[in-house]
Amino acid sequence: MVGVDPDALLTDEALRAAVGALANRNAHHLQAMDDAERADAVAHWRALAVDVLVAARAAVTGDEAPVGPEGRQPGRAVIVFEDAGEEDVAVHAAFHPELEELDGDQVAGTPAQITAMAMLQQLADDPGSEPGPPIIQP
């Protein structure tokens, strides 16, 4: 068996291949969509592909950490920045385990996940806009 760099699973080529496979698998639905629906579907498939490829990389590298003293696995947050045109950047995030949704548009997660959420929130907030939803640490 030829050795493959696990980080190759997170390259643009791998992400395009994964999204292409989802588009091929769902071609009959894709054909029935208008342009806006098609763009939403591709964005959704990209997010799914990032989640799947991050999980596959973790499985290949053995990065699945054992349960810690608090009785849970350490959390993981992976943020992918992708060129989306001349000056635009698409941002995708994957969390393992999934974030916990709480009342009032709040989420709970591990320290790594909360840090990633804070960074994403900071990217999304304009200087003059209202702050994003509050984040609660575990």
Side-chain angles (χ1 to χ4, degrees), residues 70-87:
E70 300 87 25
R72 63 178 181 194
Q73 284 188 342
R76 177 181 301 122
V78 176
I79 301 173
V80 177
F81 295 92
E82 178 181 20
D83 290 330
E86 291 263 336
E87 296 182 21

PDB file of all heavy atoms in Angstrom, residues 70-87:
ATOM      1  N   GLU A  70     -12.644  14.224  32.524  1.00  0.00           N
ATOM      2  CA  GLU A  70     -14.009  14.720  32.697  1.00  0.00           C
ATOM      3  C   GLU A  70     -15.045  13.757  32.131  1.00  0.00           C
ATOM      4  O   GLU A  70     -16.235  14.052  32.135  1.00  0.00           O
ATOM      5  CB  GLU A  70     -14.192  16.088  32.023  1.00  0.00           C
ATOM      6  CG  GLU A  70     -13.289  17.186  32.558  1.00  0.00           C
ATOM      7  CD  GLU A  70     -11.949  17.213  31.847  1.00  0.00           C
ATOM      8  OE1 GLU A  70     -11.857  16.767  30.695  1.00  0.00           O
ATOM      9  OE2 GLU A  70     -10.973  17.650  32.462  1.00  0.00           O
ATOM     10  N   GLY A  71     -14.602  12.608  31.599  1.00  0.00           N
ATOM     11  CA  GLY A  71     -15.524  11.629  31.056  1.00  0.00           C
ATOM     12  C   GLY A  71     -15.975  11.923  29.640  1.00  0.00           C
ATOM     13  O   GLY A  71     -16.988  11.415  29.184  1.00  0.00           O
ATOM     14  N   ARG A  72     -15.241  12.732  28.902  1.00  0.00           N
ATOM     15  CA  ARG A  72     -15.599  13.042  27.510  1.00  0.00           C
ATOM     16  C   ARG A  72     -14.337  13.141  26.666  1.00  0.00           C
ATOM     17  O   ARG A  72     -13.242  13.327  27.182  1.00  0.00           O
ATOM     18  CB  ARG A  72     -16.388  14.344  27.440  1.00  0.00           C
ATOM     19  CG  ARG A  72     -15.581  15.512  27.903  1.00  0.00           C
ATOM     20  CD  ARG A  72     -16.345  16.801  27.789  1.00  0.00           C
ATOM     21  NE  ARG A  72     -15.445  17.848  28.252  1.00  0.00           N
ATOM     22  CZ  ARG A  72     -15.772  19.046  28.550  1.00  0.00           C
ATOM     23  NH1 ARG A  72     -16.999  19.420  28.427  1.00  0.00           N
ATOM     24  NH2 ARG A  72     -14.885  19.909  28.956  1.00  0.00           N
ATOM     25  N   GLN A  73     -14.538  13.020  25.364  1.00  0.00           N
ATOM     26  CA  GLN A  73     -13.415  13.177  24.451  1.00  0.00           C
ATOM     27  C   GLN A  73     -13.083  14.658  24.323  1.00  0.00           C
ATOM     28  O   GLN A  73     -13.973  15.501  24.358  1.00  0.00           O
ATOM     29  CB  GLN A  73     -13.770  12.658  23.059  1.00  0.00           C
ATOM     30  CG  GLN A  73     -13.776  11.180  22.918  1.00  0.00           C
ATOM     31  CD  GLN A  73     -13.948  10.767  21.470  1.00  0.00           C
ATOM     32  OE1 GLN A  73     -14.379  11.552  20.635  1.00  0.00           O
ATOM     33  NE2 GLN A  73     -13.622   9.538  21.170  1.00  0.00           N
ATOM     34  N   PRO A  74     -11.804  14.976  24.157  1.00  0.00           N
ATOM     35  CA  PRO A  74     -11.453  16.367  23.875  1.00  0.00           C
ATOM     36  C   PRO A  74     -12.133  16.804  22.576  1.00  0.00           C
ATOM     37  O   PRO A  74     -12.337  16.005  21.675  1.00  0.00           O
ATOM     38  CB  PRO A  74      -9.938  16.332  23.710  1.00  0.00           C
ATOM     39  CG  PRO A  74      -9.500  15.095  24.417  1.00  0.00           C
ATOM     40  CD  PRO A  74     -10.637  14.123  24.266  1.00  0.00           C
ATOM     41  N   GLY A  75     -12.520  18.059  22.529  1.00  0.00           N
ATOM     42  CA  GLY A  75     -13.204  18.571  21.345  1.00  0.00           C
ATOM     43  C   GLY A  75     -12.239  18.960  20.252  1.00  0.00           C
ATOM     44  O   GLY A  75     -11.040  19.121  20.472  1.00  0.00           O
ATOM     45  N   ARG A  76     -12.785  19.112  19.080  1.00  0.00           N
ATOM     46  CA  ARG A  76     -12.003  19.514  17.919  1.00  0.00           C
ATOM     47  C   ARG A  76     -12.829  20.507  17.121  1.00  0.00           C
ATOM     48  O   ARG A  76     -14.039  20.365  16.987  1.00  0.00           O
ATOM     49  CB  ARG A  76     -11.679  18.297  17.054  1.00  0.00           C
ATOM     50  CG  ARG A  76     -10.940  18.635  15.782  1.00  0.00           C
ATOM     51  CD  ARG A  76     -10.650  17.416  14.925  1.00  0.00           C
ATOM     52  NE  ARG A  76      -9.854  16.447  15.665  1.00  0.00           N
ATOM     53  CZ  ARG A  76     -10.235  15.189  15.881  1.00  0.00           C
ATOM     54  NH1 ARG A  76     -11.386  14.745  15.435  1.00  0.00           N
ATOM     55  NH2 ARG A  76      -9.471  14.363  16.545  1.00  0.00           N
ATOM     56  N   ALA A  77     -12.164  21.515  16.612  1.00  0.00           N
ATOM     57  CA  ALA A  77     -12.781  22.464  15.693  1.00  0.00           C
ATOM     58  C   ALA A  77     -11.800  22.676  14.550  1.00  0.00           C
ATOM     59  O   ALA A  77     -10.627  22.950  14.783  1.00  0.00           O
ATOM     60  CB  ALA A  77     -13.080  23.784  16.390  1.00  0.00           C
ATOM     61  N   VAL A  78     -12.284  22.502  13.339  1.00  0.00           N
ATOM     62  CA  VAL A  78     -11.453  22.708  12.160  1.00  0.00           C
ATOM     63  C   VAL A  78     -12.111  23.804  11.334  1.00  0.00           C
ATOM     64  O   VAL A  78     -13.286  23.706  10.983  1.00  0.00           O
ATOM     65  CB  VAL A  78     -11.328  21.417  11.316  1.00  0.00           C
ATOM     66  CG1 VAL A  78     -10.530  21.684  10.048  1.00  0.00           C
ATOM     67  CG2 VAL A  78     -10.682  20.315  12.142  1.00  0.00           C
ATOM     68  N   ILE A  79     -11.347  24.860  11.067  1.00  0.00           N
ATOM     69  CA  ILE A  79     -11.844  25.963  10.253  1.00  0.00           C
ATOM     70  C   ILE A  79     -11.075  25.936   8.941  1.00  0.00           C
ATOM     71  O   ILE A  79      -9.842  25.889   8.939  1.00  0.00           O
ATOM     72  CB  ILE A  79     -11.657  27.317  10.959  1.00  0.00           C
ATOM     73  CG1 ILE A  79     -12.384  27.322  12.304  1.00  0.00           C
ATOM     74  CG2 ILE A  79     -12.149  28.457  10.074  1.00  0.00           C
ATOM     75  CD1 ILE A  79     -12.126  28.545  13.158  1.00  0.00           C
ATOM     76  N   VAL A  80     -11.806  25.953   7.825  1.00  0.00           N
ATOM     77  CA  VAL A  80     -11.205  25.928   6.502  1.00  0.00           C
ATOM     78  C   VAL A  80     -11.523  27.242   5.809  1.00  0.00           C
ATOM     79  O   VAL A  80     -12.697  27.632   5.710  1.00  0.00           O
ATOM     80  CB  VAL A  80     -11.741  24.743   5.670  1.00  0.00           C
ATOM     81  CG1 VAL A  80     -11.168  24.772   4.263  1.00  0.00           C
ATOM     82  CG2 VAL A  80     -11.429  23.423   6.361  1.00  0.00           C
ATOM     83  N   PHE A  81     -10.499  27.937   5.353  1.00  0.00           N
ATOM     84  CA  PHE A  81     -10.660  29.153   4.574  1.00  0.00           C
ATOM     85  C   PHE A  81     -10.387  28.784   3.118  1.00  0.00           C
ATOM     86  O   PHE A  81      -9.346  28.210   2.815  1.00  0.00           O
ATOM     87  CB  PHE A  81      -9.665  30.228   5.023  1.00  0.00           C
ATOM     88  CG  PHE A  81      -9.895  30.695   6.429  1.00  0.00           C
ATOM     89  CD1 PHE A  81      -9.245  30.101   7.495  1.00  0.00           C
ATOM     90  CD2 PHE A  81     -10.767  31.736   6.683  1.00  0.00           C
ATOM     91  CE1 PHE A  81      -9.450  30.528   8.788  1.00  0.00           C
ATOM     92  CE2 PHE A  81     -10.983  32.175   7.979  1.00  0.00           C
ATOM     93  CZ  PHE A  81     -10.331  31.578   9.034  1.00  0.00           C
ATOM     94  N   GLU A  82     -11.321  29.143   2.241  1.00  0.00           N
ATOM     95  CA  GLU A  82     -11.211  28.748   0.842  1.00  0.00           C
ATOM     96  C   GLU A  82     -11.426  29.963  -0.047  1.00  0.00           C
ATOM     97  O   GLU A  82     -12.372  30.723   0.155  1.00  0.00           O
ATOM     98  CB  GLU A  82     -12.279  27.688   0.556  1.00  0.00           C
ATOM     99  CG  GLU A  82     -12.327  27.202  -0.859  1.00  0.00           C
ATOM    100  CD  GLU A  82     -13.432  26.182  -1.057  1.00  0.00           C
ATOM    101  OE1 GLU A  82     -14.370  26.116  -0.240  1.00  0.00           O
ATOM    102  OE2 GLU A  82     -13.361  25.461  -2.055  1.00  0.00           O
ATOM    103  N   ASP A  83     -10.535  30.154  -1.015  1.00  0.00           N
ATOM    104  CA  ASP A  83     -10.725  31.246  -1.971  1.00  0.00           C
ATOM    105  C   ASP A  83     -12.028  31.033  -2.719  1.00  0.00           C
ATOM    106  O   ASP A  83     -12.325  29.929  -3.173  1.00  0.00           O
ATOM    107  CB  ASP A  83      -9.564  31.311  -2.969  1.00  0.00           C
ATOM    108  CG  ASP A  83      -8.273  31.782  -2.326  1.00  0.00           C
ATOM    109  OD1 ASP A  83      -8.353  32.569  -1.364  1.00  0.00           O
ATOM    110  OD2 ASP A  83      -7.194  31.373  -2.781  1.00  0.00           O
ATOM    111  N   ALA A  84     -12.812  32.113  -2.817  1.00  0.00           N
ATOM    112  CA  ALA A  84     -14.111  32.034  -3.486  1.00  0.00           C
ATOM    113  C   ALA A  84     -14.256  33.193  -4.466  1.00  0.00           C
ATOM    114  O   ALA A  84     -15.282  33.841  -4.537  1.00  0.00           O
ATOM    115  CB  ALA A  84     -15.231  32.055  -2.447  1.00  0.00           C
ATOM    116  N   GLY A  85     -13.224  33.454  -5.213  1.00  0.00           N
ATOM    117  CA  GLY A  85     -13.243  34.552  -6.166  1.00  0.00           C
ATOM    118  C   GLY A  85     -12.008  35.412  -5.968  1.00  0.00           C
ATOM    119  O   GLY A  85     -11.112  35.075  -5.194  1.00  0.00           O
ATOM    120  N   GLU A  86     -11.987  36.537  -6.665  1.00  0.00           N
ATOM    121  CA  GLU A  86     -10.831  37.430  -6.612  1.00  0.00           C
ATOM    122  C   GLU A  86     -10.486  37.858  -5.190  1.00  0.00           C
ATOM    123  O   GLU A  86      -9.349  37.786  -4.775  1.00  0.00           O
ATOM    124  CB  GLU A  86     -11.108  38.667  -7.471  1.00  0.00           C
ATOM    125  CG  GLU A  86     -11.167  38.380  -8.952  1.00  0.00           C
ATOM    126  CD  GLU A  86      -9.846  38.678  -9.622  1.00  0.00           C
ATOM    127  OE1 GLU A  86      -9.070  39.478  -9.100  1.00  0.00           O
ATOM    128  OE2 GLU A  86      -9.614  38.090 -10.690  1.00  0.00           O
ATOM    129  N   GLU A  87     -11.496  38.333  -4.445  1.00  0.00           N
ATOM    130  CA  GLU A  87     -11.235  38.844  -3.099  1.00  0.00           C
ATOM    131  C   GLU A  87     -12.096  38.188  -2.032  1.00  0.00           C
ATOM    132  O   GLU A  87     -11.991  38.543  -0.865  1.00  0.00           O
ATOM    133  CB  GLU A  87     -11.461  40.359  -3.078  1.00  0.00           C
ATOM    134  CG  GLU A  87     -10.487  41.113  -3.962  1.00  0.00           C
ATOM    135  CD  GLU A  87     -10.686  42.617  -3.905  1.00  0.00           C
ATOM    136  OE1 GLU A  87     -11.277  43.101  -2.919  1.00  0.00           O
ATOM    137  OE2 GLU A  87     -10.249  43.288  -4.850  1.00  0.00           O
TER     138      GLU A  87
END
